[in-house]
Amino acid sequence: MDTSLIQQRRNLVTELPGPNSKELDRRRSAAVSPAVSSVLPVYVHEASGAILVDVDGNSLIDLGAGIAVVSVGHAAPAVVDAVQAQIGRFAHTCFMVSPYEAYVAVCEALNTLAPGSEPKRTALFNSGAEAVENAVKIARHVTGRQAVIAFDHAYHGRTNLTMSLTAKNMPYRDRFGPFAPEVYRVPMSYPYRDPDGMTGEQAAERAIEQIERHVGADSVACVLIEPIQGEGGFIVPATGFLPAVAAWCRDHGVVFAADEVQTGFCRTGDWFACDFEGVVPDLMTTAKALAGGMPLAAVTGRADLMDAVHVGGLGGTYGGNPVACAAALASIDTMKDQDLAEAARRIGQTVTARLGPLQASHPGIGDVRGRGAMMALELVRPGTKEPDAEAAKRIASACHRAGVVVLSCGSYGNVIRLLPPLVIEEDLLGDGLDVLAGAIDEVLSGSAD
Ligand SMILES: *Cc1c(COP(=O)(O)O)cnc(C)c1O
């Protein structure tokens, strides 16, 4: 099937989920661990650009991009070609046994794209969580220190160490302990919920004061931070926060590790979210959008840090798989050729223009925030800042029923986030936003009861 023939248009031919999806869902219930859940029980048959076609022939608008993964669009032609060509040559050798060029080329590309002009090195892994684990290993190794600082609302993955670094109990941590030791949590800059007028520098001071009082700078291996928090609620820290935290790290021999797994690769309108304020991390983790849908992750860092780890200290059987590397090279080329950073900025403007005005008519929308194609609405009980997770859930379900995939997030589950493929066509985005606006009107005006 040539997915380039799939029309970029929403079209429902059954109710959602349709009969074929329902049948698959019955098989799923009998076969799949219920601990692995899905946002909507609509089974995908094929996809292209920003359209998912389900097993009943419905075309849905994808405003989630598989959680910020297919930024270049579903079945991006360059990615499909590169994957097909590579898998026909060889699918795997293990880079630690017999190396190949694509791995080296991905590392070269990341070293060039990552913020900062100092020489860099990269190591490749399979998932965001694995990249974060390795960034912590490197930071501990080079500093000879153990403590890792993470933030309120942070999300870094589901392995034991990264679940320990993740803030939210349900569903990520509950009854999954014991947790990894030497993880300390400090407050994030959260402009909507911080005291009025708190600057980024003041928020940084609040976090640093806690680090110094509870842990001690000399014990800290690294400060690990998402430059814009993803699962925690698309929380954009106040201007000045990241530079102040990075400066404190530099002054105290602490590794500043930016987790750009969700924010990376043009999502926020720059190659990386750190670029916005010119922050240069010592280590940076990437994954999600890196390889156009193939599983691949990376730690990119200053050469002096990366070179300090002993030979053989990092790696893994599949890390930097050649097919995933070919996909990454094609994705990165596509982002450059189509200037997807600019596309992300345009998407941000379109979303803000459509959703911003809704906030004026709906006091249940507490905050509209984000950067580039990483935008969110935080829902609250009118007249308060009390989180309204129920409203978020109902708005998301209304969108899903209408064939628009939106995701929720947030420590309180009350945030609707939009992170479409960056190649989404203007009309399709407009249709998706109209559906969302209609769902908001329906739920927040109370007429849905
Ligand atoms: C998704 C995510 C991870 C974990 O990535 P996986 O590939 O799911 O392991 C880590 N950090 C951030 C910021 C993420 O958004």
Side-chain angles (χ1 to χ4, degrees):
M1 174 72 202
D2 181 356
T3 55
S4 64
L5 299 176
I6 294 175
Q7 274 194 43
Q8 297 298 299
R9 193 165 63 81
R10 182 171 61 104
N11 183 36
L12 301 187
V13 296
T14 71
E15 62 173 36
L16 292 176
N20 293 332
S21 276
K22 282 185 178 150
E23 177 52 30
L24 282 171
D25 219 45
R26 273 190 289 277
R27 278 173 55 194
R28 173 202 179 121
S29 304
V32 180
S33 160
V36 182
S37 64
S38 299
V39 170
L40 65 167
V42 171
Y43 287 70
V44 176
H45 176 60
E46 57 194 353
S48 161
I51 288 287
L52 301 170
V53 180
D54 77 3
V55 289
D56 292 288
N58 298 297
S59 291
L60 291 80
I61 305 177
D62 185 2
L63 299 184
I67 318 189
V69 168
V70 287
S71 291
V72 294
H74 291 281
V79 174
V80 173
D81 290 349
V83 164
Q84 286 175 342
Q86 178 57 46
I87 205 157
R89 286 202 299 277
F90 61 96
H92 175 82
T93 61
C94 185
F95 190 74
M96 300 185 305
V97 178
S98 311
Y100 39 87
E101 182 181 354
Y103 188 117
V104 178
V106 170
C107 295
E108 288 170 343
L110 287 171
N111 296 345
T112 304
L113 292 172
S117 53
E118 293 197 58
K120 295 181 209 83
R121 309 269 192 264
T122 291
L124 300 179
F125 305 97
N126 300 295
S127 68
E130 205 188 339
V132 171
E133 293 252 354
N134 279 279
V136 171
K137 280 167 69 171
I138 295 163
R140 284 176 168 161
H141 188 99
V142 299
T143 59
R145 305 170 179 176
Q146 295 188 350
V148 180
I149 307 297
F151 288 82
D152 282 341
H153 315 290
Y155 182 85
H156 297 292
R158 292 175 179 266
T159 59
N160 185 265
L161 174 58
T162 59
M163 144 182 100
S164 307
L165 292 161
T166 292
K168 192 174 177 178
N169 182 53
M170 205 59 182
Y172 305 122
R173 302 162 54 100
D174 193 54
R175 298 170 66 103
F176 290 142
F179 301 102
E182 291 300 320
V183 170
Y184 300 89
R185 195 169 309 287
V186 298
M188 178 67 178
S189 166
Y190 190 163
Y192 177 61
R193 293 190 177 276
D194 282 342
D196 274 346
M198 179 179 254
T199 66
E201 288 79 3
Q202 288 165 341
E205 196 40 56
R206 177 178 62 180
I208 289 164
E209 191 272 331
Q210 290 204 10
I211 300 171
E212 291 182 335
R213 189 152 48 87
H214 296 310
V215 191
D218 291 351
S219 298
V220 179
C222 68
V223 168
L224 174 68
I225 188 162
E226 298 157 87
I228 295 178
Q229 289 182 320
E231 308 303 300
F234 279 27
I235 300 166
V236 186
T239 309
F241 177 76
L242 292 172
V245 173
W248 179 85
C249 287
R250 209 163 36 244
D251 291 346
H252 293 84
V254 171
V255 172
F256 180 81
D259 183 351
E260 293 253 13
V261 166
Q262 190 153 160
T263 48
F265 302 102
C266 303
R267 173 59 49 190
T268 64
D270 288 293
W271 274 100
F272 299 101
C274 278
D275 291 326
F276 189 72
E277 289 186 86
V279 170
V280 178
D282 301 311
L283 297 177
M284 179 176 84
T285 54
T286 55
K288 294 192 165 98
L290 166 57
M294 296 296 287
L296 187 67
V299 179
T300 301
R302 264 193 6 238
D304 59 312
L305 304 182
M306 301 294 285
D307 291 350
V309 179
H310 52 272
V311 171
L314 305 177
T317 305
Y318 290 110
N321 169 274
V323 181
C325 284
L329 293 171
S331 292
I332 290 170
D333 280 348
T334 301
M335 290 178 201
K336 287 180 184 163
D337 292 347
Q338 301 187 16
D339 197 355
L340 292 188
E342 167 61 20
R345 293 192 289 272
R346 255 194 337 265
I347 290 169
Q349 285 160 7
T350 304
V351 172
T352 308
R354 188 73 180 84
L355 299 187
L358 284 179
Q359 197 182 2
S361 42
H362 292 297
I365 301 177
D367 198 19
V368 177
R369 61 170 174 259
R371 188 185 302 150
M374 189 170 179
M375 297 294 302
L377 299 165
E378 177 156 358
L379 297 154
V380 293
R381 292 188 204 293
T384 73
K385 290 191 175 181
E386 221 178 288
D388 192 348
E390 190 51 36
K393 213 160 104 188
R394 286 170 57 198
I395 290 167
S397 315
C399 290
H400 298 162
R401 278 194 304 277
V404 178
V405 178
V406 298
L407 309 177
S408 57
C409 65
S411 289
Y412 317 108
N414 65 326
V415 177
I416 300 272
R417 58 172 155 175
L418 303 176
L419 53 172
L422 304 180
V423 297
I424 191 169
E425 292 172 6
E426 193 68 27
D427 286 353
L428 195 62
L429 178 61
D431 182 30
L433 292 174
D434 285 346
V435 168
L436 174 59
I440 290 169
D441 284 337
E442 183 185 307
V443 170
L444 296 188
S445 308
S447 58
D449 285 323

